[in-house]
Amino acid sequence: MKLADLSVTDFVNTLASDAPAPGGGSAAALYGAMGAGLTAMVACLTQGRKKYAEYAEFAAQVERRGNELKNRLLAVMDEDTAAFNQVSAAFALPKDTEEQKLARSAAIQAGLKACTLTPLDCMELAADAASLAWDLLDHGFNQSSASDLGVAFLSLSSALRGAWLNVLINLGSLKDETFKANARVKGERLLASGLKLSEEGYQKVLELVE
Amino acid sequence: MKLADLSVTDFVNTLASDAPAPGGGSAAALYGAMGAGLTAMVACLTQGRKKYAEYAEFAAQVERRGNELKNRLLAVMDEDTAAFNQVSAAFALPKDTEEQKLARSAAIQAGLKACTLTPLDCMELAADAASLAWDLLDHGFNQSSASDLGVAFLSLSSALRGAWLNVLINLGSLKDETFKANARVKGERLLASGLKLSEEGYQKVLELVE
């Protein structure tokens, strides 16, 4: 069963249990999906109001893009758990002969690469969503939803930082130095740009509501 | 239907829609529930391992308390939306006579108080969960789950800051100065203590996995 099909209660209970997955990686992807979703919600509530008529067309674009990012991030939530299960299955492979040992080791390394690429996808999508939420902050949006836009930025900050922890913990066990170096460069770039947007966005909203 | 009974996909889609609730307040409570849940998960995975045998008893206590906080925060998710709906219903009351106007205004103010108290509950529970996650970090825990504990701290940081935005936006429309002052003092105290724990906890985990 897909995680996205579980009820919210069952999802959080499974997260809290000793089931090895879902864990922090899928949680980070869900924070990303909720951040993109809240951005779409604020864009939606900015349309059809006389007071915000001048921003309506732009808000409609933000809503569409926010929903696309939300759907991609919901898919990443399940992809992260699938990648984790791939590594678990590799660890369970037989290791009696030299040939088996080599095949098992290769399968573990392939799984760990998947476990690194999935949170990098999460970071890329969350950074895009943070940029989208800033567009709304820059152009104009329904001020009654300021706290919702603020929570969107916080969600994206947690998605970025949480996915980055998952990249780092997998890099520790990977052997392919070129892959590791590329993943680190990409992750550090996304973290720096995305976190600046999401933390500054939150601060700006905090000033609006204080 | 309770939000907690929706599928994860339906919950996120409703969040993203122009349905006025759920919004950032319920999202913040869900981040809190996931933070407490991830703390329980790490405590759970610390038990039954020879390597961590000395922490097992303590981890069992953390697991129980984490699950209690998770369940309370899941309930707050629905309470937040119920409080929002209470205000919406009050705004829809008739305002033709002076008497109706007074009754409507009193109902709006009562609803806004509920909308302030619910995120304050969220902050209190999230601060407790951050303290619990620190207990695990201090005593010892299964290091393979370090990134999960890190994401727990990030979730609790977002829960605290997100709920605080919801307190602030409601204080802006409240008239009872004593209530406002008390809510502000309590919220600022919880934000300061809880945020220190959750951000420092995240930093400590980041150093472990880097």
Side-chain angles (χ1 to χ4, degrees):
Chain A
M1 190 181 190
K2 278 168 58 181
L3 295 173
D5 294 335
L6 291 177
S7 75
V8 172
T9 301
D10 287 345
F11 172 79
V12 179
N13 284 341
T14 311
L15 190 69
S17 76
D18 63 354
S26 289
L30 180 54
Y31 300 148
M34 290 171 67
L38 281 163
T39 305
M41 170 194 165
V42 176
C44 201
L45 292 171
T46 300
Q47 297 163 66
R49 315 274 153 130
K50 212 187 263 180
K51 192 174 171 188
Y52 303 107
E54 60 182 308
Y55 315 127
E57 199 178 327
F58 182 75
Q61 290 172 27
V62 171
E63 186 193 348
R64 269 194 300 278
R65 180 69 183 140
N67 276 311
E68 282 170 16
L69 291 168
K70 174 207 73 184
N71 293 337
R72 275 291 297 129
L73 280 153
L74 272 178
V76 168
M77 181 175 74
D78 269 288
E79 287 162 21
D80 191 273
T81 288
F84 182 90
N85 290 338
Q86 188 184 334
V87 176
S88 299
F91 270 105
L93 288 174
K95 48 179 176 176
D96 300 321
T97 67
E98 274 312 304
E99 202 172 35
Q100 283 176 343
K101 278 183 193 164
L102 280 170
R104 179 174 174 272
S105 173
I108 291 170
Q109 289 294 314
L112 288 169
K113 283 186 180 176
C115 284
T116 309
L117 293 173
T118 315
L120 280 174
D121 281 348
C122 177
M123 292 179 79
E124 189 148 34
L125 294 161
D128 279 359
S131 168
L132 194 69
W134 252 105
D135 285 344
L136 216 48
L137 202 54
D138 266 344
H139 274 74
F141 68 98
N142 185 334
Q143 299 281 311
S144 321
S145 302
S147 56
D148 301 308
L149 191 58
V151 178
F153 282 118
L154 291 170
S155 309
L156 297 168
S157 168
S158 282
L160 281 158
R161 298 197 286 170
W164 179 233
L165 286 179
N166 280 272
V167 171
L168 287 174
I169 204 164
N170 287 302
L171 286 186
S173 309
L174 269 167
K175 292 176 182 163
D176 180 339
E177 294 299 333
T178 310
F179 178 92
K180 283 168 75 168
N182 288 340
R184 186 175 278 275
V185 166
K186 184 176 179 182
E188 282 174 348
R189 178 178 57 75
L190 289 168
L191 186 73
S193 61
L195 206 54
K196 184 175 157 64
L197 289 170
S198 52
E199 288 293 326
E200 286 182 5
Y202 162 72
Q203 286 299 334
K204 198 164 168 185
V205 170
L206 187 61
E207 286 159 25
L208 285 176
V209 301
E210 249 177 355
Chain B
M1 189 181 192
K2 278 168 59 180
L3 294 173
D5 294 336
L6 291 178
S7 75
V8 172
T9 302
D10 287 345
F11 173 79
V12 179
N13 285 340
T14 311
L15 190 70
S17 76
D18 63 354
S26 288
L30 180 54
Y31 300 148
M34 289 172 67
L38 281 164
T39 305
M41 170 193 166
V42 176
C44 203
L45 292 171
T46 300
Q47 296 163 66
R49 317 272 153 133
K50 214 186 262 178
K51 191 173 170 187
Y52 303 107
E54 61 182 307
Y55 315 127
E57 199 178 326
F58 182 75
Q61 290 172 29
V62 171
E63 185 192 349
R64 269 193 301 278
R65 181 67 182 139
N67 276 310
E68 282 170 17
L69 290 168
K70 173 207 72 184
N71 293 338
R72 274 292 298 128
L73 281 153
L74 271 179
V76 168
M77 181 176 75
D78 269 287
E79 287 162 22
D80 191 273
T81 289
F84 183 90
N85 290 337
Q86 188 185 335
V87 176
S88 300
F91 270 105
L93 288 173
K95 46 179 179 177
D96 300 322
T97 67
E98 273 313 305
E99 203 172 35
Q100 284 177 341
K101 279 182 192 164
L102 281 170
R104 178 174 174 273
S105 172
I108 291 170
Q109 289 294 312
L112 287 170
K113 283 185 181 177
C115 284
T116 309
L117 293 173
T118 314
L120 280 174
D121 281 347
C122 177
M123 292 178 79
E124 190 148 33
L125 295 161
D128 278 357
S131 168
L132 194 68
W134 252 105
D135 285 343
L136 216 48
L137 203 54
D138 266 344
H139 274 73
F141 68 99
N142 185 335
Q143 300 281 310
S144 322
S145 302
S147 56
D148 301 307
L149 191 59
V151 177
F153 282 118
L154 291 169
S155 309
L156 297 166
S157 168
S158 283
L160 282 156
R161 297 197 284 171
W164 179 234
L165 286 179
N166 279 272
V167 171
L168 287 173
I169 205 164
N170 287 303
L171 286 185
S173 310
L174 269 166
K175 292 176 182 163
D176 180 338
E177 294 299 333
T178 310
F179 178 93
K180 283 169 75 168
N182 288 340
R184 186 174 277 275
V185 166
K186 184 177 179 183
E188 281 174 348
R189 178 178 57 75
L190 290 169
L191 186 72
S193 61
L195 207 53
K196 183 175 157 63
L197 288 170
S198 51
E199 288 292 327
E200 286 182 4
Y202 162 72
Q203 286 299 333
K204 197 164 167 185
V205 170
L206 188 59
E207 286 160 25
L208 285 177
V209 302
E210 249 176 355

